[in-house]
Every structure is written in structure tokens, then in C-alpha cells.
């Protein structure tokens, strides 16, 4: 039930970051109409399965979410770029993401599109401090940003602890 709402918010966030840098949308323009697909592989069977996420690159160089079923606009069309992430340990995956570490991925599809997406992943950053200042002013942002950073570090530590517990349990079972 939450998956569509989360995917829509994720798409808005991705488009916000892409639109903040003209070079980002320029890199995606040659790929307009192409479909990108993100799949979480080896998801633990005890958890509800995550949806496949699929986006189409718009004529503006932004992303349009293809809906909960993840189908490309023309049904049955394979995505031009498919990215699969090893999600066998979701807590570790989130901890790595919070630490800025790239996950283990498998990429299939168009090499040029893969190169441009990789460039975007390596070079685009969301300036949270600037966003907070724009929304709330410098005084409030000066308080919120360090507080958010501290909370993020605490969450990262907790998730790393959960990830190590998950690895220990997996080692005992296997």
C-alpha cells in the first residue's frame, strides 16, 4: 500500500536533484524515452517483496515513474537499462547508503545510458543544508542541519549493528 506513495516521493526527490543541475538533465536528454528499471534481488523471504521500480526518461531529461507494476510504456518492452541491487541484507544496504557506500549492483543494457547514469550517481549531490536554508531561513537551518546529521549518524550506527546481527544469524543458518 505504501509502495506507490514512496515511489512517487522518490521520483519527486530524484527529479528535484536532477533539475538542480542543468548538466544532469542535459546528460539524460539523448536518452529520452528510454526506460530504467531498478530491482532489489535476493530480498529476504520473511519481508514483503519490494516492487520493481521503473522510470521513463522524459523529453525534459527528468524521470517519470511507470507505476507500481514497473512496466515500460509499451507493455512487454525490456528496459534499456536494468539495475539489480543485492538486497539480501536490507539493513546493511540502508547502512551503506547512509554512509555513502555504493551497493553491490549488476547492470544490464545500454552502455551509453549506463555511463551517463553512473556519471550522475558519482557527481550529483543533494545539498540538504541549502534546501533547509531556502525553506526555513539561515537561523533555523543552522539548527536543523546539525541535528539531522547527528540523527543520521545514529541511524547509520543502529543499522550497521542490525546488519552485523543479520550476518551472524545468516552464518548460523547456512
Amino acid at each position: 500500500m505504501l509502495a506507490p506513495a514512496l515511489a512517487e516521493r522518490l521520483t519527486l526527490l530524484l527529479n528535484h536533484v536532477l533539475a538542480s543541475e542543468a548538466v544532469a538533465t542535459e546528460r539524460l536528454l539523448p536518452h529520452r524515452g528510454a526506460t530504467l528499471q531498478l530491482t532489489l534481488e535476493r530480498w529476504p523471504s520473511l519481508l514483503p517483496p519490494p516492487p520493481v521500480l521503473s522510470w521513463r526518461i522524459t523529453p525534459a531529461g527528468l524521470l517519470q515513474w511507470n507505476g507500481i507494476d514497473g512496466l515500460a510504456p509499451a507493455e512487454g518492452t525490456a528496459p534499456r537499462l536494468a539495475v539489480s541491487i543485492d538486497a539480501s541484507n536490507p539493513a546493511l544496504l540502508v547502512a551503506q547508503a547512509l554512509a555513502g557506500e555504493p551497493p553491490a549492483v549488476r547492470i544490464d543494457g545500454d552502455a551509453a545510458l549506463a555511463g551517463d547514469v553512473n556519471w550522475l550517481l558519482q557527481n550529483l549531490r543533494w545539498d540538504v543544508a541549502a534546501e533547509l536554508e531556502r525553506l526555513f531561513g539561515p537561523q533555523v537551518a543552522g539548527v536543523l542541519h546539525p541535528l539531522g546529521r547527528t540523527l543520521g549518524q545514529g541511524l547509520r550506527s543502529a543499522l550497521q549493528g542490525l546488519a552485523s546481527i543479520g550476518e551472524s544469524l545468516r552464518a548460523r543458518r547456512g
Side-chain angles (χ1 to χ4, degrees):
M1 301 269 296
L2 288 176
L6 291 174
E8 289 169 358
R9 297 318 177 270
L10 175 60
T11 303
L12 288 172
L13 175 64
L14 292 171
N15 282 332
H16 176 75
V17 173
L18 288 170
S20 69
E21 295 287 337
V23 68
T25 54
E26 288 171 15
R27 287 195 85 106
L28 289 177
L29 282 177
H31 308 288
R32 62 184 147 254
T35 302
L36 308 169
Q37 180 178 303
L38 176 66
T39 306
L40 298 175
E41 291 185 332
R42 299 175 49 205
W43 188 258
S45 60
L46 296 174
L47 298 174
V52 172
L53 295 173
S54 176
W55 294 275
R56 184 181 61 78
I57 300 173
T58 69
L62 298 172
L63 300 175
Q64 177 183 345
W65 181 53
N66 288 332
I68 192 64
D69 52 10
L71 295 177
E75 282 193 44
T77 303
R80 185 152 348 139
L81 184 66
V83 177
S84 301
I85 298 176
D86 179 7
S88 57
N89 186 336
L92 178 61
L93 187 64
V94 172
Q96 287 173 332
L98 289 172
E101 298 173 22
V105 299
R106 188 182 79 236
I107 300 173
D108 296 309
D110 183 294
L113 179 54
D116 285 333
V117 168
N118 183 56
W119 185 92
L120 292 171
L121 290 171
Q122 297 298 319
N123 293 289
L124 282 183
R125 296 289 175 256
W126 184 29
D127 188 351
V128 177
E131 291 292 327
L132 288 172
E133 188 169 326
R134 185 180 63 81
L135 291 171
F136 301 110
Q139 289 80 17
V140 175
V143 173
L144 290 178
H145 188 255
L147 177 63
R149 189 178 323 121
T150 301
L151 288 172
Q153 289 168 343
L155 179 60
R156 186 177 311 120
S157 296
L159 286 169
Q160 286 171 339
L162 280 173
S164 64
I165 291 170
E167 289 298 318
S168 296
L169 291 174
R170 180 170 294 134
R172 287 182 186 166
R173 276 193 272 153

